[in-house]
Amino acid sequence: MARYKPNIGKIKTLEDANLALKEIGLLEHELEAIDGEANKKIAEIKADCAKQGEGLRKRITDLSALLGAFAEYNREELFKDRKSQKLSFGEFGYRKSTAIS
């Protein structure tokens, strides 16, 4: 099968080049308007999702603090042989820099 190559015309003069540049500018302006509207909608969606997830993020922070306090209080018993405890739903550890996975 032969390749299809569309015929889009030719630029023969400086006036043709100038008109092509004008069209490029107008098309880029339209694209910027479309992208701007999309970015506005994306920002609204992100703000709405952040508001919806606010309680969940707060709960995660609270539970993480509780796990940290539990690890600190029971560190001698839980971390005498290793620095992490693997459980069914993840692991937590006692280190100078704390992380929960």
Side-chain angles (χ1 to χ4, degrees):
M1 179 189 269
R3 263 181 61 185
Y4 170 73
K5 190 171 183 182
N7 183 9
I8 58 170
K10 294 182 180 179
I11 296 176
K12 297 179 182 179
T13 66
L14 283 177
E15 183 59 32
D16 292 342
N18 193 37
L19 291 174
L21 289 171
K22 176 184 176 184
E23 187 175 355
I24 289 171
L26 292 172
L27 294 171
E28 286 177 345
H29 180 70
E30 286 183 48
L31 283 174
E32 287 174 8
I34 292 169
D35 291 344
E37 186 63 31
N39 288 332
K40 181 180 174 186
K41 289 178 182 178
I42 290 168
E44 290 172 2
I45 291 169
K46 283 183 177 182
D48 185 43
C49 290
K51 187 176 180 182
Q52 288 178 9
E54 191 174 306
L56 301 173
R57 287 182 187 85
K58 171 85 169 95
R59 181 67 178 149
I60 289 170
T61 302
D62 292 346
L63 288 172
S64 296
L66 288 172
L67 277 172
F70 175 76
E72 175 71 34
Y73 185 75
N74 296 294
R75 108 178 141 200
E76 296 297 323
E77 179 184 327
L78 294 172
F79 307 109
K80 61 183 169 189
D81 297 331
R82 59 177 68 162
K83 292 186 178 188
S84 297
Q85 286 290 328
K86 290 187 179 186
L87 302 174
S88 300
F89 297 103
E91 68 180 68
F92 70 99
Y94 186 79
R95 291 177 177 75
K96 289 184 181 182
S97 64
T98 57
I100 297 173
S101 61

